Amino acid sequence: MSGKNEVPVVYFVERGLYKARVNHLMKLAEKSKLVDYRKDFSSDVSHVIAQDLSRQQALEYLRKVKKVKQITDEESLQFVTVDWFVSCMKEKRIVTLTEGHRLKSDDALEVLEEHAMFRGDASAESRSLAFHRGSATLKCLPARISCEEDLRNLPHIDVGNSSKPGHCKRVILDILSYGQSSEVEEILRSDFYNSMKVFTGIFGVGPQTARKWFHDFKLRTLRDVKNSSSVHLNKDQRFGLEYYDDLNRPLPVGEARNFETLIRQYAEEIQPDIEITLVGGFRRGKPMGHDMDLLITHKEDGKEKILHKLLHKLQDRIIYSDKKAGSVNQPYSARPGSTMDHFEKCYGIFKIDTVKGDGSWTARRVDLIVVPYSQFAFALLGWSGSRHFEREIRRYAKSEKQMVLTSHGLYSSDGTSHPASSEEEIFDLLGLKYQKPCDRNC
Ligand code: 8DG
Ligand code: CA
Ligand code: CA
C-alpha cells in the first residue's frame, strides 16, 4: 500500500487451509468493499494472508508453488493471519495490525531443532537438544546479538576452545554476515520440512508416521493424505484431519480460562471440594497454547468416578474422547525419563466457546487428568512443563541426586518415596532454588 487511505489488496495463501475455507474467504473478500482481492498474486498485492505458516513459508509458497518470479517490494508487503482478515470482515472496518496478526518469522535454531526431530535418525535427539539449548540461550539474552563478539562465552553456542565454531554458532554467524543462513533457508524451502510440518500438525500423527507418508507413500499435502488409498487413519487421526483447521489455530488464554471456569462449575455440582487447575503452558503465563491441560484433584482420592461424571456433564461438547484408566498405585514403574504417567485421564477434542461469547465454538484439544491428592504437587510440577524444563529437572534428579522424579513422586534408588505437598518442597528435596512457573519457559 503506498497511500495512507488506500484499500488493502489481499491475496490468500492456500497451503494449510481447507479448500472450502479458502473459497469462503475468497468470496468474503470479493464481496467486501473494504478490500480488493487478487486470485493470482500480482505486484499490487499489499496483504498476503495465511494461516499457521511463518513469513518465510508464505514467501516460499509464492515462489515455489505459485512461481512468483520477483516480489518487488518484500519489505512493504504485510504478511498477516486469517484472523486479521476475519476480524476486518466481522467488524466491517480495517482492523489495525498488531504483532499478533503478523505471521511470525522463523527462529533459525528452532527450525534446525524441529528438522532434526523430523529426520529422526540415530543422532536426532542429541542434535535437536543442542539446537534447543542454543536457541534457549539466545532467548535469555537481554539484547539482540549484533556481532561475533556478543557470542563469546555463551553457553551452548560458544563452546570449547576449538577454532571451528559449533553448529549453532555457525548458523548465527551466517545470519550476522548475510542476513540469513543458507542451511536454514534450504530446509524452509524443502518439501520434506513443509510436508512434515503439515502432517505432524494432525492430532495423532507423529514424526514416524509423517515420514512414512512422505518417503514411502510420496504424499505432500493434506489433500494427498485424504485421497491416498495407502493411508489408513486411526480414530485420533481421522478426527485430527477433520478438525485440522480448528486444532491448529492458536488457543488464547481467555478461552482456556473460560473453559476452566465452566469445568470448575460442573465439578462443584458433582462434589464441592474438587479442585481444578489449568496447567501446561498457560500456567507458565503463555498467552497462547495448543491445548488445555486441566488437573482434577480431590482430597478423598478419586473414589467418586469424577472423570466419568464430568464427561457426562460435558457430553454435548465432546467431539472425541479417549479415556485412559489409571494405575496410580504403581507409579514407580514409570519409565525413567518418560513424561508419560499413569493417571486416569481423558485426551479429548471438545467444542469450546470462543471468547466472542456469541455462541460460536472451536474444536480444541483438552487433556483432563485425575490426580490423587497425595501426588498433586508432583503432577502439578510435571504437567506445568515446559517439556524441556521437565527433561532437565528429571535429568538433574537422576545424575546429581540419584533420584527418580516423575509426575507421581520422587524416589530414591532403593524405591523409597519422598512425599511433598507443594512444588516448593520438591525443589527443596532436590536441593534446588524454587523456580516460578513463568521461569520454566526454557
Ligand atoms: P502448549 O500446549 O502451550 O503448546 O505447550 P505445553 O502446555 O507446555 O505442552 P503440552 O504438550 O500440553 O504438555 C504439558 C506438559 O505435560 C509437558 O511438560 C509434559 C507433561 N506431561 C506429563 N505427563 C504427560 C502424559 O502422560 N502425556 C502428555 N502428553 N504430557 C504429559 O507430565
Ligand atoms: Ca498444553
Ligand atoms: Ca497437553
Side-chain angles (χ1 to χ4, degrees), residues 160-213:
N161 297 318
S162 150
S163 58
K164 192 171 163 285
H167 203 149
C168 287
K169 188 168 177 180
R170 218 160 56 227
V171 170
I172 300 167
L173 290 178
D174 274 353
I175 296 174
L176 286 176
S177 311
Y178 312 112
Q180 60 180 39
S181 145
S182 52
E183 182 188 3
V184 174
E185 292 303 308
E186 204 171 300
I187 289 172
L188 288 170
R189 273 199 296 269
S190 68
D191 281 350
F192 176 71
Y193 177 81
N194 286 293
S195 298
M196 288 294 287
K197 192 107 183 140
V198 173
F199 297 164
T200 53
I202 303 172
F203 169 53
V205 176
Q208 204 177 341
T209 304
R211 269 196 297 277
K212 186 161 114 190
W213 292 355

Side-chain angles (χ1 to χ4, degrees), residues 45 47 142 210 239 257 271 285 293 299 307 357 362 368 383 395 397 404 416 418:
V45 167
H47 289 63
F239 282 100
R257 290 287 173 207
Q271 215 168 297
D293 308 285
K299 282 189 181 145
L307 189 58
T362 313
L368 297 170
W383 278 85
R395 200 195 306 270
V404 175
T416 315
H418 299 269

Side-chain angles (χ1 to χ4, degrees), residues 280-281 290-294 347 365-369 383 387:
H290 96 281
D291 70 353
M292 283 177 245
D293 308 285
L294 287 150
Y347 298 119
R365 276 270 304 106
V366 178
D367 292 337
L368 297 170
I369 307 106
W383 278 85
R387 279 177 190 275

Side-chain angles (χ1 to χ4, degrees), residues 92-111:
K92 299 192 171 52
R93 65 183 180 93
I94 297 300
V95 172
T96 310
L97 277 177
T98 63
E99 269 319 293
H101 290 132
R102 292 184 201 282
L103 300 189
K104 298 275 171 288
S105 275
D106 285 308
D107 171 321
L109 296 180
E110 277 179 9
V111 170

